[in-house]
């Protein structure tokens, strides 16, 4: 066994040792595109590429393959695309007229106002920037000249998420609310200018199904339009409003025709949430049938995607919150009478309400840990106040569905608990559903740790979807608080969203739990492809004194074993002279009083590091990280 060392990482301080027992005290995938450079890595041999491709595709559902082939044909074949464009236009006429019903609009607008309230001064400052074509996209400031460039290639290729956010138009409700508060018509005129320019520059084209006419984008954009229209009532010109209704019906018809069955996951859920909301505003002869089918599909999809413990199947706190918010909008429209003509509509909405109630309870579990929110899988830093507001608003629409300990282990595998001033979240489950691991990270058996209201050990989360070294690092095992063997990740990650090899077996259980301590156990076989078929097992003990982690690797052969700890950026690691390797009988017993290390590990050596929180000395917290190995 070798490779023991300590190092600092750019994305957070990383403690790296061989076979570490950490004991801080007092502390697809989006999908497979079969083209060179995307499905294939030119640095690998054809056999390696073929194997990786097979290990990815074999987990897809038949419906994903069929809809992907359909999408490729429609976007690349001009004749087929034109035929389908004609079909969508005919369907849109059967959905018109569009009723921008004020009662329903008010319900959507008031829900979003409660969830995303901006103070008037702050909102007006943002509105002024938007009038100058100054946008914040994917966390970056963008300034355009006279008109918004909806199809700039540099934005699409270099920062794809920025291009999608431009198309979502989630800045439009801000303009509309600013107008409603200030009665300054310049904000309403800017809203009309942006929407009018989008309709002119983005006619229906099947070639744009991945971008401006992406079903995910449409489901987001149309709800932003609806939310805005409540605040802008009485300001739109008749001709513009007629064009708006026509475009609304056309996009709704397109969304109904092309939901993202190829991607599944949060994309498909958002498609049907958006379609359910939009269907309540169309009144043509095909509108009742559209509402009926959409609610039936949505209730079934939500029931499948929400796990036993209430977590969304992709196991990202950020996407979980977004999915809950989307379902709440459908329930709000239903409560305002948007689906009165739907057969069995009451039972379908009640099914959605129960599903969302489980999601609300899981959100409460996430909020039970103090300070910053958990950051597993594709999640950035979440605003705790925003998440608490979502939970509070949810209570108006939902019944709380209790989650049992058994459901916690059978669902996402996220185990959350507190002992004294300590709190932790342990990830004992899979990365997500096998057919859609696009937002999954190789973080099996990772954890996060809090002391009082401050995070001590943090997951690295995610800050980019752009393919490249940065995206690869955030998804890798090294970016999480868990074990890596022989330099391999616990899943075979490639491109920005794809996963080949992955664990086939996961076990997680709650060995004991009380207000004073908790013992969680988990294992996975993500490294069983290596010689000797090693299996990683972890026992996580949370107590009043801190946390003790015992990693066991069963199998045969000689392997390089690395275990990573990522200290929160607010934690300072203090060098300790001549204390890297010590005899536990002389030193460790004093430091680890209460954890009975002698009983846990009768014969070992130890590496110690000291940590403390940054800031005024009188308010700082400090403790130890002790690594033990035979």
């Amino acid at each position: 066994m070798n490779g023991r060392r300590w190092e600092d990482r750019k994305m957070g301080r990383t403690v790296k040792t061989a076979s570490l027992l950490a004991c801080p005290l007092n502390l697809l995938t989006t999908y497979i595109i079969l083209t060179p450079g995307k499905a294939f890595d030119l640095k690998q041999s054809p056999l390696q590429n073929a194997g990786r491709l097979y290990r990815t595709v074999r987990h897809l559902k038949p419906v994903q393959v069929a809809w992907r082939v359909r999408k490729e044909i429609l976007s690349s074949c001009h004749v087929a695309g034109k035929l389908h464009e004609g079909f969508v236009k005919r369907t849109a006429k059967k959905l018109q007229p569009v009723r921008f019903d004020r009662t329903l609009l008010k319900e959507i607008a008031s829900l979003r106002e409660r969830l995303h309230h901006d103070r008037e001064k702050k909102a007006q400052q943002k509105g002024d920037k938007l009038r100058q074509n100054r946008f914040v996209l994917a966390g970056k400031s963008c300034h355009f000249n006279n008109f918004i460039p909806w199809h700039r290639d540099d934005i699409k290729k270099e920062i794809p998420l920025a291009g999608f956010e431009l198309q979502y138009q989630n800045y439009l409700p801000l303009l509309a609310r600013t107008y409603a508060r200030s009665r300054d018509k310049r904000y309403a005129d800017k809203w009309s200018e942006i929407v009018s320019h989008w309709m002119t520059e983005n006619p229906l084209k099947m070639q744009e199904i991945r971008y401006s006419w992406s079903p995910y984008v449409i489901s987001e954009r149309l709800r932003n339009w609806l939310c805005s229209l409540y605040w802008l009532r009485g300001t739109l010109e008749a001709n513009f409003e007629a064009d708006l209704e026509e475009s609304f019906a056309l996009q709704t018809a397109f969304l109904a025709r092309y939901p993202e069955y190829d991607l599944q996951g949060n994309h498909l859920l958002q498609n049907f949430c958006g379609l359910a909301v939009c269907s309540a505003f169309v009144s043509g002869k095909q509108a009742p049938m559209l509402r009926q089918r959409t609610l039936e599909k949505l209730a079934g999809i939500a029931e499948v995607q929400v796990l036993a413990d209430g977590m969304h199947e992709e196991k990202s706190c950020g996407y979980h919150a977004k999915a809950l918010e989307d379902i709440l909008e459908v329930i709000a429209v239903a409560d305002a009478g948007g689906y009165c003509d739907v057969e069995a509509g009451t039972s379908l909405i009640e099914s959605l309400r129960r599903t969302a109630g489980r999601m609300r309870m899981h959100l409460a579990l996430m909020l039970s840990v103090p300070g910053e929110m958990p950051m597993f899988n594709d999640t950035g830093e979440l605003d705790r106040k925003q998440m608490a507001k979502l939970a509070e608003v949810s209570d108006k629409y939902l019944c709380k569905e209790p989650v049992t300990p058994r459901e916690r282990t059978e669902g996402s595998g996220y185990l959350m608990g507190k002992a004294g001033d300590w709190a932790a979240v342990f990830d004992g489950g899979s990365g997500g559903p096998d057919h859609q691991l696009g937002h999954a990270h190789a973080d099996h058996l990772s954890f996060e740790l809090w002391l009082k209201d401050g995070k001590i050990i943090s997951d690295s989360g995610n800050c980019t979807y752009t393919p490249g070294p940065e995206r690869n690092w955030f998804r890798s095992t090294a970016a999480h608080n868990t074990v890596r063997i022989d330099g391999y990740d616990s899943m075979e990650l490639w491109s920005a969203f794809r996963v080949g090899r992955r664990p086939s077996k996961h076990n997680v259980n709650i060995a004991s739990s009380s207000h004073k301590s908790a013992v969680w156990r988990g294992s996975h076989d993500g490294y069983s492809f290596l010689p000797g078929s090693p299996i990683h097992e972890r026992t996580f003990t949370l107590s009043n004194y801190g946390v003790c982690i015992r990693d066991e690797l069963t199998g045969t052969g000689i392997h390089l074993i690395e275990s990573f700890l990522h200290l929160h950026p607010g934690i300072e690691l203090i060098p300790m002279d001549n204390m890297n390797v010590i005899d536990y009988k002389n030193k460790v017993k004093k430091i680890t009083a209460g954890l009975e290390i002698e009983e846990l590990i009768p014969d070992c050596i130890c590496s110690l590091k000291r940590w403390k929180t940054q800031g005024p000395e009188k308010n700082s917290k400090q403790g130890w990280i002790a690594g033990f190995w035979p």
Side-chain angles (χ1 to χ4, degrees):
M1 194 175 293
N2 55 65
R4 181 172 59 85
R5 61 192 175 94
W6 302 80
E7 63 177 24
D8 281 350
R9 291 270 189 180
K10 178 181 178 182
M11 304 304 171
R13 294 180 180 82
T14 301
V15 181
K16 184 176 182 181
T17 73
S19 189
L20 177 72
L21 174 64
C23 188
L25 304 174
N26 296 332
L27 201 1
L28 141 78
T29 47
T30 51
Y31 208 64
I32 303 302
I33 303 175
L34 300 178
T35 54
K38 292 185 177 180
F40 298 105
D41 185 347
L42 300 180
K43 296 180 181 179
Q44 293 190 336
S45 68
L47 188 61
Q48 289 174 317
N49 276 313
R52 185 181 65 178
L53 188 60
Y54 168 75
R55 290 188 292 273
T56 303
V57 175
R58 66 185 289 264
H59 296 284
L60 301 178
K61 294 180 177 181
V63 67
Q64 289 179 277
V65 178
W67 278 72
R68 183 59 178 186
V69 171
R70 179 176 184 255
K71 181 184 285 187
E72 290 294 328
I73 292 173
L74 294 177
S75 62
S76 59
C77 177
H78 180 74
V79 175
K82 284 296 181 183
L83 288 173
H84 278 260
E85 287 169 18
F87 178 84
V88 171
K89 290 175 181 177
R90 291 191 296 273
T91 303
K93 290 181 180 179
K94 296 176 183 178
L95 294 178
Q96 291 179 274
V98 179
R99 296 181 299 104
F100 290 129
D101 186 285
R102 290 188 177 182
T103 303
L104 297 183
L105 285 177
K106 182 179 180 180
E107 193 64 32
I108 295 173
S110 61
L111 173 61
R112 289 203 175 188
E113 178 74 1
R114 293 196 299 274
L115 288 174
H116 305 286
H117 177 71
D118 278 317
R119 286 179 298 179
E120 187 169 347
K121 183 177 179 180
K122 185 178 179 182
Q124 189 158 345
Q125 289 174 347
K126 292 181 178 179
D128 289 336
K129 290 182 179 180
L130 290 173
R131 287 198 302 106
Q132 300 167 15
N133 282 345
R134 296 181 182 274
F135 298 83
V136 177
L137 304 171
K140 299 181 182 296
S141 297
C142 300
H143 182 207
F144 306 123
N145 293 323
N146 296 327
F147 295 101
I148 298 173
W150 301 106
H151 302 285
R152 262 178 53 172
D153 287 336
D154 59 335
I155 295 179
K156 286 184 182 180
K157 294 176 181 178
E158 294 175 17
I159 318 175
L161 183 59
F164 281 112
E165 288 185 359
L166 189 65
Q167 294 283 347
Y168 296 160
Q169 299 181 0
N170 51 16
Y171 40 82
L172 290 180
L174 177 65
L175 276 173
R177 288 200 306 271
T178 306
Y179 161 73
R181 289 168 179 155
S182 66
R183 291 298 167 181
D184 186 337
K185 201 168 184 301
R186 291 178 300 172
Y187 298 106
D189 291 343
K190 184 62 179 181
W191 191 97
S192 299
E193 175 195 310
I194 291 173
V195 174
S196 178
H197 186 250
W198 183 90
M199 291 188 295
T200 302
E201 296 296 314
N202 292 274
L204 173 59
K205 288 183 180 179
M206 294 304 300
Q207 289 81 3
E208 288 295 328
I209 197 171
R210 292 195 186 94
Y211 196 61
S212 57
W213 284 82
S214 157
Y216 188 93
V217 169
I218 291 173
S219 60
E220 192 71 9
R221 179 170 56 231
L222 290 187
R223 286 180 294 171
N224 285 322
W225 286 12
L226 289 173
C227 178
S228 301
L229 288 173
Y230 173 74
W231 304 109
L232 295 172
R233 56 192 184 279
T235 65
L236 304 181
E237 296 180 1
N239 291 339
F240 174 72
E241 192 163 354
D243 292 340
L244 191 69
E245 290 185 15
E246 183 179 344
S247 179
F248 185 94
L250 188 63
Q251 292 181 66
T252 301
F254 188 91
L255 181 57
R257 182 70 177 171
Y258 303 106
E260 293 171 286
Y261 284 110
D262 54 328
L263 294 182
Q264 301 281 315
N266 73 89
H267 276 248
L268 189 62
L269 182 65
Q270 172 152 307
N271 292 166
F272 278 96
C273 285
L275 187 58
V277 171
C278 294
S279 70
F281 291 87
V282 294
S283 58
K285 61 181 180 180
Q286 283 198 1
M289 183 185 300
L290 176 62
R291 284 189 283 272
Q292 179 78 40
R293 291 180 176 177
T294 301
L295 280 187
E296 289 173 351
K297 288 284 188 181
L298 176 57
I301 290 168
E303 183 64 28
V304 169
Q305 291 196 9
V306 177
L307 304 174
D309 62 346
M311 185 67 179
H312 183 259
E313 64 177 0
E314 291 185 87
K315 296 182 57 179
S316 158
C317 296
Y319 283 107
H320 175 87
K322 181 65 170 68
L324 175 56
E325 188 175 327
D326 289 343
I327 295 175
L328 281 182
E329 282 194 345
V330 178
I331 295 173
V333 169
D335 290 349
Y339 310 111
C340 293
D341 59 347
V342 174
E343 183 180 350
T346 301
S347 62
L348 292 172
I349 292 299
E350 285 307 308
S351 174
L352 271 179
R353 208 183 298 272
R354 288 192 299 272
T355 300
R358 298 206 316 273
M359 298 178 75
R360 161 65 178 87
M361 291 305 293
H362 198 280
L363 179 61
L365 282 174
M366 289 191 286
L367 287 166
S368 68
V369 297
E372 297 178 29
M373 300 290 289
M375 293 174 60
F376 294 118
N377 284 342
D378 274 345
T379 296
E381 294 184 23
L382 298 175
D383 186 335
R384 184 180 179 86
K385 291 182 179 179
Q386 179 68 30
M387 295 300 101
K389 176 62 71 173
L390 175 58
E392 177 188 334
V393 172
S394 298
D395 291 340
K396 175 185 175 181
Y397 301 96
L398 309 175
C399 297
K400 296 179 181 179
E401 296 286 333
V403 178
T404 66
R406 182 177 178 180
E407 288 173 331
R408 291 171 67 190
T409 57
E410 290 180 349
S412 64
Y414 285 154
L415 303 181
M416 307 172 194
K418 298 177 70 176
D421 292 334
W422 296 89
V425 179
F426 177 63
D427 182 6
S430 65
D434 271 342
H435 65 275
Q436 175 52 282
L437 288 173
H439 292 298
H441 292 192
D443 63 352
H444 302 91
L445 305 185
S446 184
F447 72 98
E448 289 192 306
L449 184 68
W450 291 258
L451 175 59
K452 294 185 178 179
D453 59 348
K455 190 179 284 190
I456 304 298
I457 305 296
S458 177
D459 192 273
S460 298
N462 178 63
C463 74
T464 182
Y465 288 132
T466 304
E470 192 175 31
R471 173 67 173 162
N472 296 341
W473 186 86
F474 275 104
R475 299 179 76 203
S476 70
T477 299
H480 303 88
N481 304 304
T482 188
V483 168
R484 182 172 72 179
I485 302 179
D486 293 342
Y488 285 93
D489 294 322
S490 57
M491 295 195 300
E492 185 180 20
L493 308 166
W494 60 289
S495 189
F497 297 98
R498 299 168 193 162
V499 177
R501 165 188 49 77
R502 75 285 305 269
S504 60
K505 295 179 182 178
H506 302 85
N507 294 300
V508 59
N509 65 81
I510 303 173
S512 67
S513 180
S514 71
H515 68 281
K516 292 183 178 180
S517 66
V519 179
W520 304 321
R521 294 194 178 99
S523 66
H524 72 90
D525 65 348
Y527 298 110
S528 60
F529 69 98
L530 294 172
S533 301
I535 303 294
H536 179 206
E537 300 178 6
R538 170 168 279 188
T539 301
F540 188 100
T541 304
L542 181 67
S543 75
N544 290 331
Y545 302 99
V547 61
C548 177
I549 302 168
R550 183 186 181 102
D551 287 315
E552 297 182 34
L553 290 109
T554 58
T556 60
I558 298 176
H559 301 276
L560 171 64
I561 302 169
E562 301 165 288
S563 185
F564 296 85
L565 279 183
H566 294 264
L567 303 183
H568 187 273
I571 300 298
E572 179 183 357
L573 199 61
I574 304 170
M576 298 175 62
D577 296 334
N578 302 320
M579 292 192 70
N580 282 340
V581 178
I582 62 174
D583 184 330
Y584 83 96
K585 290 182 179 178
N586 294 333
K587 298 286 184 181
V588 177
K589 188 174 181 180
K590 293 181 181 178
I591 298 170
T592 60
L595 286 181
E596 299 179 352
I597 291 298
E598 289 182 271
E599 294 183 17
L600 290 173
I601 302 179
D603 185 18
C604 64
I605 54 178
C606 170
S607 177
L608 287 179
K609 290 291 175 182
R610 186 183 172 200
W611 63 266
K612 73 170 184 177
T613 54
Q614 297 175 355
E617 202 60 44
K618 63 179 181 179
N619 296 327
S620 69
K621 309 179 189 74
Q622 58 182 324
W624 302 89
I625 299 175
F628 301 84
W629 62 94

